[in-house]
Amino acid sequence: MSHERTVIRGGLVITAADEVHADVLVEGERVVALAATGSPAAQAWEAERVIDATDCYVIPGGVDAHTHMELPFGGTAASDTFETGTRAAAVGGTTTIVDFAVQSVGHSLREGLDAWHAKAQGRCAIDYGFHMIMSDVTEHVLKEMDVLVEEGVTSFKLFMAYPGVFYSDDGRILRAMQRSAANGGLIMMHAENGIAIDVLVEQALAAGHTDPRYHGEVRRELLEAEATHRAIQLARVAGAPLYVVHVSCEQAVNELAQARDLGLNVFGETCPQYLFLSTDNLAEPDFEGAKYVCSTPLRPKEHQAVLWRALRTNDLSVVSTDHCPFCFVGQKELGRGDFSKIPNGLPGVENRMDLLHQAVLDGHISRRRWIELACATPARMFGLYPRKGTIAPGSDADIVIFDPHERYVMSAATHHMNVDYSAYEGRQMTGRARTVLSRGTPVVDAGRYVGHAGHGTFLPRSTSQYLI
Ligand code: URP
Ligand code: ZN
Ligand code: ZN
C-alpha cells in the first residue's frame, strides 16, 4: 500500500459535528490528522501532494445509500452501469454507494448477490456495498439472511408494491422482519399498497387515462401512508428496526413521526426528486412527464415544505438518490399510450450533493445538517461509520474539496450519467465538487474525472449503528 502523503490546506472542514478551519493530513488511504490552519503542527507537515482548499469546504465524500445501477425493470435495465454510474457519482462528490442486489423469484439470495458482485467487481470508480432485495421469502432464504449479514450485506429491501415482481405479502414481510430482529439486519421498505394501486391502474387505463401524470394519480398518497403504517406495525410485532425508503408525502411522514415519538427504531429516507420536483413535472406535455416517473411518485409541491421540515426535525434522517436512470428515447418511451409500462426511476447520483448544498443556500438546512443527511447518517445507518461519512483520524480519505461559489447549469449535455436527459435540466446551481479523493487517490481534479474503473472496492458492512 502507498504511504504517499497529501495535505489539504486552508479549507473549512465541515462534518456532521463541526465546522473548523483546519488542514487535513492524509497518509496512503487514510486521514491521519487534522490541525488548525496556520498552527505550528499543521505548518510542520510535509507531503508529496498539497491541495489548496482556500475559500472551499472540505467535506466527507457523499454516501449514497440507494442506487440501482443496471437494475432490470419493466423489460429493460437501468442505463447506468457500475462503471458509468460510479464515475458520475464521483464527479458529483459521492465516494460511496450502496446498491441493491436483486433476488429473482425462484432463486436464492446467493445467486442474486453473486450476480451483482460480478457486475460491479473491477468496474467501480468509488467504493460500493450492497443491500439485498428479497423477492421470494422462503425458509431457505430466511436462513440465507444470516449468512449475508455475516458477509457484510446487512440490509434487506422488501416491497409492498409491484405484485408479481418484487412484492411480498404481510406474512413474508413479518417473517423477514423477525429474522432481522434476530440477526441484526435492517429491513428497508418500499411502502406502497401495490395490490390496491394495481386496481387503480387498471381502472385508469380502462378510462383512457394513459398519460404519465396518471402514474402519480393512481399511486395515491393514502396508499403510501397506509403501507408505511402497516410496515411500522409489522416491525413492532417483530421487534425489528425499520428503514422506509423514498418517502414522498406528508401523510407518510406523519406515520414515521408518530412511530418515532413512541421511541421506535423507525427511520425515513427521502430523495432530491421529492424535494425539488413535483407533479407539475409529471404533467409536462408531449410525454415529457415520463422523465419523472418513479415510485413512490412525485407529489404536489405542498409536500416539499413538509419533507424539508422532517429533514430538520430528524423524522427523515437520510437523503439518498434512488438513482435508477432510463433514457427517454427507447426506454421511457416503452410507456407511450400506457403509463404503467414506463420504467420507474430517475437519474440523480451526480446531483445529490449539489442539490443539498443548494438547500443550504436556500435556508432549508444548515451546512452540518447537509453533511449529516448525505454522509454521516447513511454511513452510520448502514454500518460504514467512521470509515465513511466523516473526516477524522483513521477514516478513509474520501474527501471532497467543494467550491461553494462555483456557478453552473445542470444539463444532460454536460453530466456524466449515462442517460439522455437531466431531471434538473437548466437549473442554475451554486457550488460543486472541485477535487475528490477516494481513499487518498484523486478521482476528480478541477472538476474532471481522473479516476479509473476498478479503483472502487466492495465494502463489507457492519450492522446498523443507529439502533437503540
Ligand atoms: O422508481 C423507482 N424508485 N425505481 C427503482 C426501484 C425502487 O422501487 O426503488
Ligand atoms: Zn422502491
Ligand atoms: Zn430504489
Side-chain angles (χ1 to χ4, degrees):
M1 193 199 292
S2 155
H3 290 281
E4 192 178 54
R5 285 157 72 101
T6 301
V7 63
I8 303 166
R9 294 210 185 271
L12 179 67
V13 177
I14 308 172
T15 63
D18 286 308
E19 297 188 3
V20 284
H21 287 281
D23 294 358
V24 181
L25 182 63
V26 171
E27 190 172 310
E29 298 195 337
R30 298 274 163 85
V31 174
V32 289
L34 286 86
T37 299
S39 65
Q43 281 176 334
W45 290 340
E46 287 175 6
E48 288 78 29
R49 183 187 299 119
V50 177
I51 299 176
D52 179 9
T54 308
D55 294 331
C56 286
Y57 301 154
V58 179
I59 60 175
V63 178
D64 190 340
H66 191 152
T67 68
H68 297 283
M69 307 304 171
E70 308 180 32
L71 176 75
F73 193 103
T76 183
S79 58
D80 260 320
T81 62
F82 279 91
E83 182 167 349
T84 61
T86 56
R87 186 192 304 157
V91 175
T94 286
T95 52
T96 303
I97 60 163
V98 191
D99 201 89
F100 288 83
V102 180
Q103 177 209 14
S104 306
V105 176
H107 294 264
S108 63
L109 300 187
R110 168 66 51 211
E111 287 170 277
L113 183 58
D114 285 353
W116 256 256
H117 272 300
K119 290 177 203 233
Q121 196 176 9
R123 298 199 172 86
C124 292
I126 54 166
D127 290 348
Y128 61 97
F130 288 127
H131 314 285
M132 190 79 223
I133 286 178
M134 295 170 67
S135 316
D136 197 0
V137 181
T138 62
E139 271 309 311
H140 173 70
V141 162
L142 291 170
K143 292 194 184 96
E144 284 191 289
M145 287 174 77
D146 301 351
V147 180
L148 263 61
V149 169
E150 291 299 313
E151 286 179 21
V153 177
T154 56
S155 37
F156 301 87
K157 184 175 178 191
L158 292 167
F159 289 77
M160 302 168 103
Y162 305 133
V165 190
F166 297 133
Y167 174 80
S168 292
D169 65 23
D170 291 354
R172 288 173 176 223
I173 289 170
L174 183 64
R175 284 180 200 281
M177 286 176 165
Q178 288 170 331
R179 199 75 184 202
S180 73
N183 66 24
L186 179 59
I187 297 294
M188 308 170 76
M189 189 61 74
H190 180 129
E192 286 187 294
N193 185 328
I195 301 284
I197 286 169
D198 274 9
V199 172
L200 299 182
V201 169
E202 203 181 298
Q203 291 170 349
L205 293 174
H209 297 156
T210 59
D211 288 346
R213 72 186 172 93
Y214 293 103
H215 170 85
E217 292 195 9
V218 298
R219 304 187 88 90
R220 302 272 291 269
E221 291 150 15
L222 285 177
L223 296 177
E224 181 182 343
E226 181 277 326
T228 305
H229 180 83
R230 190 158 31 103
I232 291 167
Q233 304 315 319
L234 290 169
R236 284 177 86 175
V237 169
L242 176 69
Y243 177 94
V244 183
V245 296
H246 46 53
V247 175
S248 72
C249 67
E250 176 173 14
Q251 296 89 329
V253 167
N254 290 343
E255 296 293 340
L256 292 170
Q258 267 182 33
R260 291 177 60 78
D261 286 349
L262 291 174
L264 302 175
N265 264 324
V266 171
F267 306 95
E269 163 203 273
T270 192
C271 313
Q273 51 270 34
Y274 307 113
L275 297 165
F276 291 91
L277 304 172
S278 73
T279 42
D280 294 352
N281 300 98
L282 260 180
E284 285 177 17
D286 301 325
F287 197 64
E288 288 284 306
K291 293 176 176 174
Y292 306 96
V293 164
C294 58
S295 297
T296 54
L298 301 184
R299 302 297 186 188
K301 268 202 175 77
E302 305 83 80
H303 292 267
Q304 293 173 357
V306 178
L307 297 177
W308 284 121
R309 190 180 66 219
L311 287 170
R312 288 191 295 274
T313 60
N314 211 33
D315 285 325
L316 294 172
S317 39
V318 171
V319 179
S320 300
T321 58
D322 196 6
H323 176 77
C324 190
F326 297 97
C327 288
F328 183 72
V329 176
Q331 292 193 298
K332 291 288 188 181
E333 280 181 333
L334 293 169
R336 270 194 201 275
D338 179 349
F339 69 83
S340 73
K341 294 201 165 55
I342 301 169
N344 285 202
L346 256 64
V349 76
E350 189 171 347
N351 307 133
R352 181 185 67 130
M353 294 299 286
D354 295 359
L355 287 167
L356 288 179
H357 176 254
Q358 202 62 46
V360 173
L361 298 178
D362 295 345
H364 292 300
I365 51 172
S366 68
R367 287 190 291 217
R368 278 178 288 136
R369 188 65 177 154
W370 167 40
I371 301 308
E372 191 162 35
L373 293 166
C375 311
T377 302
R380 282 203 175 98
M381 191 70 70
F382 296 107
L384 290 167
Y385 196 87
R387 182 171 174 193
K388 307 294 188 186
T390 192
I391 300 176
S395 299
D396 278 1
D398 284 15
I399 299 177
V400 177
I401 318 303
F402 189 92
D403 181 346
H405 307 292
E406 187 175 333
R407 293 172 67 81
Y408 75 103
V409 177
M410 277 187 182
S411 173
T414 47
H415 73 200
H416 297 73
M417 298 176 286
N418 184 38
V419 59
D420 61 0
Y421 74 95
S422 168
Y424 306 98
E425 187 68 41
R427 194 173 284 259
Q428 296 275 349
M429 302 296 295
T430 304
R432 80 189 309 181
R434 180 196 287 175
T435 304
V436 179
L437 304 183
S438 166
R439 280 181 283 106
T441 299
V443 291
V444 175
D445 184 28
R448 285 176 181 278
Y449 179 67
V450 294
H452 67 268
H455 165 81
T457 59
F458 171 68
L459 296 166
R461 296 178 289 113
S462 65
T463 54
S464 177
Q465 293 144 309
Y466 247 91
L467 311 179
I468 296 165

